[in-house]
Amino acid sequence: MSQGNFGVAGLGVMGQNVALNIERNGFEVIAYNRSEDKANEMREKSAGKNVFVTQSIEEFVQKLEPPRRVLLMVTAGAGTDAVIEALTQHLEPGDIIIDGGNSHFPDTNRRNEALQAKGFHFVGCGISGGEEGALWGPSIMPGGKYEAYERIAPVLEKIAAKTEDDGPCVTYCGRTSAGHYVKMVHNGIEYGIMQIICEVYDILRKSAGMSTPKIQEVFADWTKSEIGGFLIEITAQCLAKKDDQGSGWLVEKVLDTAGQKGTGKWTAQTALDLGVPIPTLSMAVEARILSGLKPQRVEASKILDGPERRHGKRRKDLVEALFNATYVSMIASYAQGMALIQEASKEYDYGTNLAEVARIWKEGCIIRSKLLDPIKQAFKEQPGLANMLTHPYFSKIVNDTLPDLRKVIRIAARTGVPTTCLGATLAYIESYRSEFLPANLLQGLRDNFGAHTYKRLDMEGVFHSQWNEK
Ligand code: 6PG
């Protein structure tokens, strides 16, 4: 029996799959796409199902029962504004527009204000899980006015991924652009963890001289461990894939230049604006940019020397150390992301519940892993926790595993393998745990050339000195 209808505008693969997910959960879906090919694809995929497909925006709006609920599944950017503009010609005050794309949070703020002024409700909603997740249960991160969230929550709870013990992977992330902010940081963490995995792979092949199948075994083994989760699982999958165009392993034939669509960069940018250190996540963006300099790297590889590589014999020790290095670096990635959301929630008055964010990342999303449950517990116990590294559960793991991160970086340095994110992670933790940093000298330098003044450890006040006089 139908439980009311729900509109989906934008029928790319994600839009199609979310629409099918909504229909499977008992709602009639009214689906809209202006272009014929996408609309026809949807017609084919939904044949015999409770889905009505239209290419007319008027008909789309007419078919929906007021107050209308419209989910936009449009590529973030100008396209989102265009669809909103067209829709609002026909919608009525009180209708709800949900933006399910990866929109940049300042755009969500702008749209939120404009739409509210016209009497519409707007929900900026992060959706994670890729194509499969969209169809079978994504992690959903909505934000905006709570009263609008309440009206769509029954649908979102049905279509979201389910945890075994912790409910559906959807929660109210907070006011205004909180949903898209949380999703952006999710992607920042995704960038960090993926780059860590890639550096570990690089050390295994270059420093230890291991073959792709041997490296695959390592990751397959880790899927059952404390760091097990989606990204480790799909790493094992990627490394097991045979080249269907020739012989050998597909991953070895893939051009080593990474793409990006912006969410990782935005995470780094907002962290700089808010003054929150997230070096692991930021360096993952830098690593992608460096990978893009392929022609320059090819030239430089002929000019700049690296150390001679002799593969050590103690592979088992290295694999164990790499496990711990991955463990601590994954924890640091989540810690940096959570600290950023914590600060953004204060600065932008989101009112985000960090324990809830960790809970809804337990299933469905790209960064789901076994670490999310203890992260949830930590923030449940201490909602104002500034950095989860200091929570007793995580500080014990960090203290146990950090020596191995140091060891891995020594080995990588000795064998000339870049550790862009692993190195940034070590520096982050070493800095964070340092009572004293060399910023005393930095302040001296600033005061020396620019009279920027400094404070003292042993006296109150603001000081300036003539540093060129002994
Ligand atoms: C998700 C993903 C999804 C998408 C990223 C990839 O949570 O489902 O994060 O949103 O795969 O946008 O981003 P890049 O193309 O920048 O790697």
Side-chain angles (χ1 to χ4, degrees):
M1 217 192 56
S2 173
Q3 305 172 51
N5 64 16
F6 203 94
V8 177
L11 300 174
V13 184
M14 289 291 286
Q16 291 175 11
N17 284 359
V18 174
L20 293 171
N21 183 350
I22 297 172
E23 194 273 346
R24 198 182 60 245
N25 280 288
F27 302 90
E28 184 196 4
V29 172
I30 311 296
Y32 161 77
N33 204 100
R34 200 175 52 184
S35 84
E36 192 166 351
D37 52 336
K38 294 275 175 249
N40 281 341
E41 267 179 42
M42 187 74 224
R43 285 187 184 104
E44 265 173 46
K45 282 196 186 170
S46 62
K49 296 189 195 316
N50 198 8
V51 177
F52 179 85
V53 185
T54 175
Q55 289 166 248
S56 147
I57 203 145
E58 290 93 332
E59 189 177 32
F60 177 64
V61 174
Q62 270 163 22
K63 286 264 179 196
L64 288 166
E65 297 152 6
R68 299 172 182 82
R69 300 172 292 188
V70 177
L71 173 63
L72 307 184
M73 294 299 294
V74 182
T75 308
T80 308
D81 285 315
V83 179
I84 291 177
E85 177 58 30
L87 267 173
T88 50
Q89 308 296 315
H90 306 283
L91 292 176
E92 289 171 308
D95 289 346
I96 306 171
I97 301 174
I98 308 144
D99 174 12
N102 271 331
S103 292
H104 197 195
F105 73 95
D107 288 338
T108 302
N109 285 331
R110 168 177 59 76
R111 290 171 187 143
N112 193 35
E113 271 174 36
L115 289 166
Q116 274 192 30
K118 292 182 185 161
F120 301 113
H121 291 295
F122 186 59
V123 176
C125 184
I127 300 183
S128 175
E131 295 174 15
E132 282 289 297
L135 183 59
W136 296 109
S139 170
I140 308 179
M141 296 154 248
K145 274 241 170 83
Y146 189 74
E147 81 184 89
Y149 167 73
E150 266 186 320
R151 286 180 25 208
I152 55 170
V155 185
L156 301 186
E157 283 170 11
K158 285 217 164 108
I159 67 167
K162 309 290 180 296
T163 62
E164 257 176 39
D165 50 351
D166 242 351
C169 292
V170 56
T171 195
Y172 174 66
C173 289
R175 291 177 276 275
T176 60
S177 55
H180 278 140
Y181 199 94
V182 167
K183 174 62 189 356
M184 174 193 68
V185 177
H186 164 285
N187 283 25
I189 299 171
E190 174 185 301
Y191 272 53
I193 296 177
M194 288 202 291
Q195 180 61 26
I196 288 157
I197 289 173
C198 293
E199 290 173 17
V200 168
Y201 157 75
D202 214 20
I203 293 169
L204 286 170
R205 67 176 176 163
K206 292 182 186 156
S207 309
M210 280 165 68
S211 66
T212 299
K214 285 275 168 234
I215 302 173
Q216 196 277 339
E217 281 171 26
V218 171
F219 283 101
D221 194 38
W222 290 359
T223 59
K224 295 165 244 142
S225 71
E226 301 91 317
I227 61 169
F230 181 70
L231 288 170
I232 300 283
E233 277 162 30
I234 63 165
T235 303
Q237 241 175 42
C238 273
L239 295 171
K241 174 82 182 154
K242 296 220 175 82
D243 181 6
D244 39 20
Q245 310 278 323
S247 59
W249 308 98
L250 181 55
V251 74
E252 295 174 10
K253 311 282 174 62
V254 176
L255 178 70
D256 54 324
T257 291
Q260 53 173 316
K261 292 197 208 74
T263 45
K265 182 181 82 178
W266 298 338
T267 308
Q269 287 172 328
T270 175
L272 287 175
D273 288 342
L274 295 180
V276 179
I278 57 158
T280 310
L281 315 192
S282 301
M283 290 310 281
V285 184
E286 298 280 359
R288 290 196 191 192
I289 297 170
L290 268 160
S291 81
L293 305 180
K294 178 78 177 178
Q296 288 184 45
R297 289 192 286 114
V298 171
E299 279 313 301
S301 71
K302 297 173 199 150
I303 301 167
L304 304 173
D305 295 335
E308 198 193 320
R309 267 179 207 144
R310 261 176 284 119
H311 304 136
K313 292 202 176 52
R314 301 164 73 173
R315 235 182 225 181
K316 194 160 166 283
D317 291 354
L318 176 62
V319 169
E320 271 171 29
L322 280 167
F323 174 80
N324 280 338
T326 309
Y327 198 178
V328 69
S329 301
M330 279 177 68
I331 290 173
S333 302
Y334 288 118
Q336 292 168 26
M338 288 309 221
L340 180 56
I341 297 173
Q342 187 84 285
E343 185 57 29
S345 179
K346 280 188 216 148
E347 182 68 24
Y348 303 131
D349 191 31
Y350 286 150
T352 307
N353 178 330
L354 278 274
E356 274 291 282
V357 169
R359 183 186 67 74
I360 65 166
W361 287 348
K362 279 173 64 170
E363 292 295 343
C365 68
I366 304 296
I367 63 168
R368 62 187 186 259
S369 80
K370 290 189 194 137
L371 287 164
L372 266 323
D373 190 61
I375 296 174
K376 184 204 83 175
Q377 300 293 354
F379 283 102
K380 211 168 168 188
E381 275 168 34
Q382 299 178 38
L385 188 60
N387 193 309
M388 59 181 237
L389 294 181
T390 60
H391 183 278
Y393 178 87
F394 291 107
S395 61
K396 172 154 188 352
I397 301 171
V398 171
N399 287 336
D400 289 347
T401 53
L402 201 59
D404 274 341
L405 178 58
R406 295 191 186 102
K407 178 174 163 180
V408 160
I409 287 168
R410 276 199 303 274
I411 292 168
R414 206 167 53 227
T415 48
V417 177
T419 50
T420 317
C421 274
L422 291 168
T425 305
L426 180 61
Y428 172 74
I429 301 175
E430 302 289 24
S431 299
Y432 196 69
R433 63 166 200 84
S434 290
E435 185 181 353
F436 293 105
L437 285 171
N440 53 336
L441 176 58
L442 193 66
Q443 286 296 79
L445 295 171
R446 291 178 67 239
D447 191 50
N448 184 328
F449 68 69
H452 293 296
T453 72
Y454 59 94
K455 288 183 181 167
R456 296 181 57 111
L457 288 164
D458 55 352
M459 279 179 225
E460 285 294 316
V462 174
F463 298 86
H464 167 59
S465 300
Q466 289 304 318
W467 295 87
N468 55 356
E469 292 167 10
K470 276 192 188 150

